[in-house]
Amino acid sequence: MIQTAVTIAIICLALSMLALVYRIIKGPTLPDRIVALDAVGVNIVGIVALICIKVDTTAYVEFILLFGILAFIGTVAFSKYLEKGVIIDHDRDR
Amino acid sequence: MSLLHLAIIAPFIIAVFVPLIYKNIKSVHTGWFILPLPILLFIYFSSFISKTTNKQVTMESFSWISSLGIDFTVKVDGLGLLFALLITGIGSLVILYSIYYLSKQKEKLNTFYVYLLLFMGAMLGVVLSDNLIVLYAFWELTSFSSFLLIGYWYNREKSRYGAQKSMIITVLGGLAMLGGIILLYNMTGTFSITEIVAQADTIIDHPLFVAALLCILLGAFTKSAQFPFHIWLPDAMEAPTPVSAYLHSATMVKAGIYLVARMSPVFAEDTLWMGLIIAFGLFTLFWGSFSAVKQTDLKSILAFSTISQLGLIMSLLGVGAAALHYDQPKYFTVATTAAIFHLINHATFKGSLFMVVGIVDHETGTRDIRKLGGLMNLMPITFTIAIIGTFSMAGLPPFNGFLSKEMFFTGMINALHMDFDWSIIIPIIAWIASVFTFIYSMILVFKTFTGKYQPEKLEKKPHEAPIGMLISPIILASLVIVIGFFPNIIKPILVPAIETVMPMYEFDVHISMWHGFNTELVMTIGVIIVGVLLYLGLNKWRGIYGIFPEKLALNRFYDGLLDSMYKGSHSLNRNVMTGSINHYLSYMFLFMVVLIIGSLFGQNAFAFSTDNLAPIHFYEVILTLIVAISSIALLFAKSRIVSILLTGTIGYMVSLLFIVFRAPDLALTQLVIETISVSLFLLCFYHLPKKLTDDPVPVKVRNAVISVGVGLFVILVGLTAHSTKLFDSISQYYIENTYSEAAGKNMVNVILVDFRGFDTMFEIAVLGIAALAIFSLIKLRRNGGKKIENK
């Protein structure tokens, strides 16, 4: 029973990711795409958690934590790029 | 190491000391120190005459690379001895002549004598070696030293051109000859000429026989300036005259003749050998004498004359080979006698003629027959020598050229006994060529020494040459007369040489000045009458040389060939090596695809089986679909940022697939690396244009075809590899031993740091190098690359 539910949930998330990829490709603006990528990350976290249940393991928990951080860093980097055109500022003293 | 070896190596040893002598003893002409060597060698080789007359062959072996069958074996038989005597004898005379010809003050004598000694030693090595590889080594050394000697005045454009040309052509032939030698080795298993001759009967049916024959002949023809490879010889006339006299008339150009004569016992069983030699020899004979008439430079006349005479000797050797194929060998053996006899005669009169031309050049400052004339009274001795030499060359009695020319006609008339339909053409061409020979001989002597004296055209005031310069040509001219009157005195040298060429026949050579009233004499008289008439009417028919189109000249062809080879390879390089990575990758991928797909289907190696496949979940399909869609969309992305986003998506999806396929460590690493890479790409964007470059459509289509091909080949190879598993994987060992052997439960990490830790170490090294490289790239550039260079 739970197996079936998990499988259906994975499929739903996968389909949602497919839709997000469509948004990444289509745009129309860059922030649209970045938000879509961020959402892809969230979906990935969900799928990984579901897979953990499905195969009955805790091996992927670290992945979930790490992805939570990286997806955030990635989105911030993109946002900063959008804002200033650079990601890492030079020292102001120079 | 015997005395014979020492005799061959002696010139090389002396050559080492020449610069020392030149530097330290300035007061005496260096040539005087060289002169004793060839004289001593000549005397030494003369001591073999009695042995070879008794058919004794002296063989001495010195181990060189015995394991490969290459030994420095020296063999003195009739033919080798004849050449050795020519080389050392004429060598002595040429060195004596050069002492007076080359000025002590103006010329760099050290290099001249080093080159000349190199050549002399190499030539002795060629004619006395019994081992084919050693022969080849010396053969190339003659080409090389000839190259150095032709380019002796290397600051002249023409010298360099002539040297390069002769080098290219003779080395081409030399390499072909090496090919022939290797083929002979394949057939017989030995490099020794003696043993190859012993096996001659068995190798004639070998499939490689004809190839070896053609290769050897190509080597002989290029060296001996046979048509169409004769073009290097006239350009080699840029060398100092002693060199022309020595190399390009008496010795080196006869190396090809020597090779043909030496190899005759091996190849003459085949009619192809005979046919090719007769055909090329006769045509060279005709073409050389025909071309000589139109030359205006004395040395050019002599060069074409040499070509023509070499063709004559070559064709005689060919006719001589016919003895093996027809019933009555005595008709043809006379041709071999004539060949060897003329070889000696040609060396004597051509050597003296070159020296005469050198004297004329030296004393008047020009070699142009249009400027020369009327030197007879000013240079009586030179004129006498010239008369003797040219009359001998034209085949007039009582000189030695007459005897060999008569024998030549005999040989050519006897060639009619060959039963093929066109054999009548052989004596006709021979006769026509002799007429031309007569004409240019007369031009040579009479345009130079008689007629009007034109002092205003000459650079110097001509007078008789110093006596030292005249000694050598006088000796040669006396030989011409002595052999002419008493031809039988050279029999001890001549007969053993002929018997080496044609070991299967007995020769009873008897040469006499008057051998009755016969066809040959009629032909000679005909040559003289027609020749005189044509010479007197020279200006009326000279126009025929204008008919021959300059475009078809072989030199044009040669220059054009070199030029087009240069241009061709240049444009090929420019078209292929474009400097565009796109092109290079296209070539690589294209060939990879063609080779691997081709061999997969060519070898029928493609396999596809559905055993061992895991079940596919629906969500796996969707995830893979996302990767596929993103990848395709990536190809059509218009801006860089979109392509980066899509790359990131693909990277994340791949890490998700790692999760699905249960590889948590991989997934973690992939995730981090993907994020860093995306950030790095973004970092670079500041410096890059926003838009991606637009390739033209045809390039896109080409790239698309190639990339589809690459994808297809990877899929095919993957499927085939998966479908043909030959044995189980070794992973069971790791599963069993990870904890018991390495005290770890994470199998991937245990493999990385324990079972296969070496790989990890070097991966770390790679990362370290990359970090250092990035650091230095950025840092050095920040500091200014130019500044560092200036320090």
Side-chain angles (χ1 to χ4, degrees):
Chain A
M1 183 62 199
I2 184 89
Q3 281 293 328
T4 321
V6 166
T7 308
I8 290 168
I10 295 179
I11 289 169
C12 288
L13 284 177
L15 287 172
S16 120
M17 262 196 303
L18 201 58
L20 286 167
V21 168
Y22 170 76
R23 189 41 64 199
I24 293 176
I25 295 167
K26 198 72 191 162
T29 66
L30 204 49
D32 287 330
R33 294 185 166 116
I34 291 166
V35 171
L37 189 66
D38 195 44
V40 165
V42 176
N43 276 311
I44 287 175
V45 169
I47 289 185
V48 173
L50 286 167
I51 286 173
C52 277
I53 300 168
K54 188 175 159 69
V55 300
D56 192 20
T57 175
T58 57
Y60 304 132
V61 176
E62 291 148 19
F63 182 90
I64 295 169
L65 285 174
L66 190 65
F67 206 111
I69 301 163
L70 287 181
F72 170 71
I73 294 174
T75 312
V76 168
F78 271 112
S79 310
K80 198 163 180 198
Y81 175 78
L82 273 185
E83 201 177 33
K84 293 188 173 178
V86 289
I87 301 169
I88 302 164
D89 294 309
H90 297 299
D91 290 341
R92 290 210 180 100
D93 302 344
R94 269 195 227 167
Chain B
M1 183 74 75
S2 64
L3 202 58
L4 255 176
H5 289 100
L6 199 68
I8 295 177
I9 294 169
F12 299 109
I13 298 171
I14 303 293
V16 173
F17 293 105
V18 167
L20 272 176
I21 299 169
Y22 177 71
K23 283 263 157 67
N24 293 320
I25 308 172
K26 291 267 182 195
S27 53
V28 186
H29 196 286
T30 317
W32 289 112
F33 297 100
I34 317 294
L35 188 58
L37 173 75
I39 296 177
L40 277 177
L41 289 176
F42 183 75
I43 295 167
Y44 173 66
F45 283 120
S46 306
S47 68
F48 284 91
I49 294 177
S50 56
K51 281 186 190 170
T52 52
T53 324
N54 298 329
K55 299 197 177 181
Q56 252 181 302
V57 176
T58 315
M59 285 252 279
E60 296 281 355
S61 194
F62 175 68
S63 174
W64 185 23
I65 315 175
S66 304
S67 57
L68 295 178
I70 301 168
D71 285 319
F72 187 7
T73 311
V74 183
K75 177 181 174 184
V76 185
D77 57 2
L79 190 64
L81 184 66
L82 164 65
F83 272 92
L85 289 173
L86 276 182
I87 292 159
T88 50
I90 296 186
S92 320
L93 297 176
V94 161
I95 288 177
L96 178 66
Y97 177 76
S98 73
I99 292 171
Y100 290 92
Y101 187 84
L102 293 173
S103 149
K104 196 167 68 183
Q105 287 83 26
K106 289 180 204 157
E107 308 287 357
K108 290 182 289 300
L109 294 173
N110 51 346
T111 51
F112 181 80
Y113 287 110
V114 168
Y115 300 162
L116 202 68
L117 283 173
L118 270 186
F119 172 77
M120 190 185 285
M123 200 62 209
L124 279 177
V126 166
V127 298
L128 294 177
S129 296
D130 187 52
N131 191 292
L132 281 170
I133 292 289
V134 177
L135 187 147
Y136 171 73
F138 282 121
W139 182 280
E140 288 297 314
L141 204 54
T142 62
S143 297
F144 176 64
S145 47
S146 162
F147 166 79
L148 290 172
L149 284 165
I150 297 168
Y152 178 65
W153 288 309
Y154 53 80
N155 44 4
R156 294 184 193 170
E157 172 78 38
K158 276 185 148 184
S159 291
R160 296 198 302 269
Y161 173 77
Q164 187 205 37
K165 191 176 192 177
S166 74
M167 186 75 165
I168 290 176
I169 294 178
T170 51
V171 167
L172 171 87
L175 278 178
M177 193 182 94
L178 179 64
I181 289 171
I182 293 169
L183 289 177
L184 275 177
Y185 181 75
N186 268 344
M187 288 184 269
T188 60
T190 174
F191 284 122
S192 159
I193 298 175
T194 318
E195 287 172 38
I196 290 174
V197 169
Q199 296 186 34
D201 291 335
T202 54
I203 60 172
I204 187 162
D205 297 322
H206 200 282
L208 293 175
F209 180 79
V210 174
L213 187 155
L214 293 176
C215 284
I216 297 274
L217 268 190
L218 186 60
F221 283 176
T222 49
K223 198 75 161 183
S224 280
Q226 298 295 299
F227 188 90
F229 308 110
H230 65 275
I231 50 173
W232 66 267
L233 191 59
D235 283 309
M237 290 302 130
E238 291 303 321
T241 304
V243 173
S244 308
Y246 188 35
L247 275 70
H248 307 127
S249 71
T251 53
M252 190 180 86
V253 287
K254 294 207 171 91
I257 305 277
Y258 168 79
L259 190 72
V260 169
R262 177 61 86 196
M263 287 301 182
S264 277
V266 183
F267 292 111
E269 293 277 341
D270 199 85
T271 42
L272 182 66
W273 173 265
M274 173 188 103
L276 281 175
I277 294 176
I278 296 179
F280 276 90
L282 271 183
F283 193 75
T284 311
L285 163 64
F286 165 73
W287 189 251
S289 57
F290 178 71
S291 303
V293 176
K294 72 173 170 181
Q295 306 301 321
T296 53
D297 179 89
L298 288 175
K299 273 177 100 176
S300 295
I301 298 178
L302 288 179
F304 279 104
S305 149
T306 303
I307 292 166
S308 148
Q309 306 274 317
L310 290 170
L312 183 152
I313 299 172
M314 200 65 102
S315 61
L316 279 173
L317 283 175
V319 174
L324 291 164
H325 303 285
Y326 298 101
D327 286 340
Q328 287 164 302
K330 69 174 165 52
Y331 284 131
F332 304 109
T333 48
V334 66
T336 313
T337 313
I340 304 295
F341 188 42
H342 194 71
L343 183 90
I344 303 170
N345 295 342
H346 177 247
T348 54
F349 66 69
K350 193 53 70 68
S352 70
L353 281 177
F354 265 109
M355 290 174 186
V356 162
V357 167
I359 291 169
V360 170
D361 188 14
H362 209 262
E363 302 305 330
T364 63
T366 184
R367 297 196 308 253
D368 195 326
I369 49 170
R370 288 166 299 190
K371 292 180 186 170
L372 293 166
L375 297 176
M376 188 164 68
N377 296 325
L378 295 161
M379 308 167 82
I381 305 174
T382 320
F383 172 62
T384 314
I385 300 164
I387 283 273
I388 295 169
T390 43
F391 279 26
S392 176
M393 183 159 74
L396 301 180
F399 307 110
N400 59 4
F402 170 70
L403 303 174
S404 45
K405 195 55 89 55
E406 293 282 278
M407 287 174 79
F408 165 62
F409 283 143
T410 315
M412 291 296 150
I413 293 167
N414 286 350
L416 291 174
H417 289 280
M418 290 191 245
D419 36 319
F420 76 96
D421 299 339
W422 292 89
S423 57
I424 184 70
I425 206 164
I426 295 177
I428 289 177
I429 292 180
W431 187 80
I432 294 172
S434 299
V435 173
F436 279 111
T437 306
F438 183 87
I439 297 168
Y440 72 68
S441 301
M442 295 308 115
I443 290 176
L444 191 69
V445 64
F446 288 120
K447 296 262 177 191
T448 313
F449 291 98
T450 62
K452 224 177 90 203
Y453 174 48
Q454 302 157 297
E456 69 282 357
K457 286 189 183 173
L458 302 178
E459 289 169 22
K460 300 178 187 169
K461 186 153 173 53
H463 54 80
E464 187 56 271
I467 185 70
M469 223 178 201
L470 288 169
I471 295 173
S472 301
I474 286 174
I475 293 175
L476 285 172
S478 351
L479 270 178
V480 169
I481 298 174
V482 170
I483 297 174
F485 279 109
F486 311 103
N488 292 317
I489 59 160
I490 57 163
K491 250 172 86 172
I493 307 172
L494 190 60
V495 177
I498 302 164
E499 280 169 349
T500 321
V501 183
M502 288 272 145
M504 41 305 243
Y505 303 108
E506 285 286 322
F507 284 88
D508 182 28
V509 180
H510 186 76
I511 309 161
S512 59
M513 187 65 105
W514 176 254
H515 35 112
F517 194 80
N518 51 18
T519 329
E520 292 88 325
L521 195 65
V522 175
M523 280 171 87
T524 305
I525 294 169
V527 165
I528 296 170
I529 294 170
V530 177
V532 166
L533 289 176
L534 283 176
Y535 173 71
L536 293 175
L538 194 59
N539 291 329
K540 285 173 190 148
W541 60 271
R542 216 175 196 161
I544 61 155
Y545 285 106
I547 298 170
F548 186 72
E550 192 67 24
K551 264 186 192 170
L552 289 178
L554 279 164
N555 275 323
R556 278 283 182 90
F557 177 72
Y558 167 84
D559 291 336
L561 192 69
L562 275 198
D563 198 42
S564 59
M565 266 158 66
Y566 168 73
K567 280 186 183 150
S569 51
H570 186 68
S571 71
L572 182 73
N573 252 352
R574 247 203 337 228
N575 288 335
V576 178
M577 309 295 277
T578 49
S580 147
I581 305 274
N582 187 325
H583 286 168
Y584 298 160
L585 286 179
S586 304
Y587 304 144
M588 282 192 243
F589 284 133
L590 198 66
F591 278 95
M592 209 160 74
V593 169
V594 168
L595 281 180
I596 293 180
I597 295 193
S599 54
L600 262 187
F601 285 101
Q603 301 292 316
N604 220 356
F606 178 68
F608 179 67
S609 80
T610 48
D611 311 334
N612 294 325
L613 292 184
I616 303 170
H617 292 291
F618 187 59
Y619 59 86
E620 285 168 4
V621 174
I622 298 175
L623 293 180
T624 319
L625 206 62
I626 293 172
V627 175
I629 290 171
S630 310
S631 308
I632 291 165
L634 183 60
L635 296 176
F636 298 99
K638 287 280 185 290
S639 80
R640 282 180 199 279
I641 199 89
V642 175
S643 62
I644 290 297
L645 281 168
L646 287 166
T647 316
T649 317
I650 296 168
Y652 289 153
M653 283 302 149
V654 169
S655 76
L656 193 55
L657 283 172
F658 282 141
I659 299 271
V660 173
F661 296 125
R662 301 179 193 183
D665 293 302
L666 279 182
L668 275 178
T669 318
Q670 166 71 22
L671 187 66
V672 178
I673 295 298
E674 193 58 43
T675 313
I676 295 172
S677 316
V678 169
S679 314
L680 283 178
F681 277 128
L682 284 174
L683 203 60
C684 301
F685 268 29
Y686 184 72
H687 306 281
L688 290 176
K690 284 264 184 299
K691 276 212 150 190
L692 289 161
T693 48
D694 283 323
D695 279 332
V697 179
V699 176
K700 277 184 183 167
V701 171
R702 188 192 68 198
N703 290 350
V705 169
I706 292 173
S707 48
V708 167
V710 171
L712 209 66
F713 117 74
V714 172
I715 292 170
L716 283 176
V717 170
L719 283 178
T720 305
H722 187 264
S723 306
T724 50
K725 258 194 186 147
L726 297 178
F727 36 76
D728 297 331
S729 82
I730 58 166
S731 56
Q732 198 58 36
Y733 171 82
Y734 293 123
I735 295 168
E736 283 163 9
N737 293 307
T738 301
Y739 189 71
S740 58
E741 297 279 330
K745 287 181 181 169
N746 186 334
M747 201 167 81
V748 174
N749 283 354
V750 167
I751 290 175
L752 283 180
V753 301
D754 197 319
F755 288 125
R756 315 227 9 205
F758 271 121
D759 294 357
T760 315
M761 187 172 86
F762 288 110
E763 295 290 336
I764 292 168
V766 168
L767 287 179
I769 291 167
L772 279 177
I774 292 167
F775 177 77
S776 45
L777 275 178
I778 294 169
K779 212 56 181 169
L780 289 179
R781 190 152 168 225
R782 279 250 173 101
N783 290 350
K786 280 181 188 171
K787 276 181 196 165
I788 289 170
E789 246 171 51
N790 288 340
K791 278 175 196 167

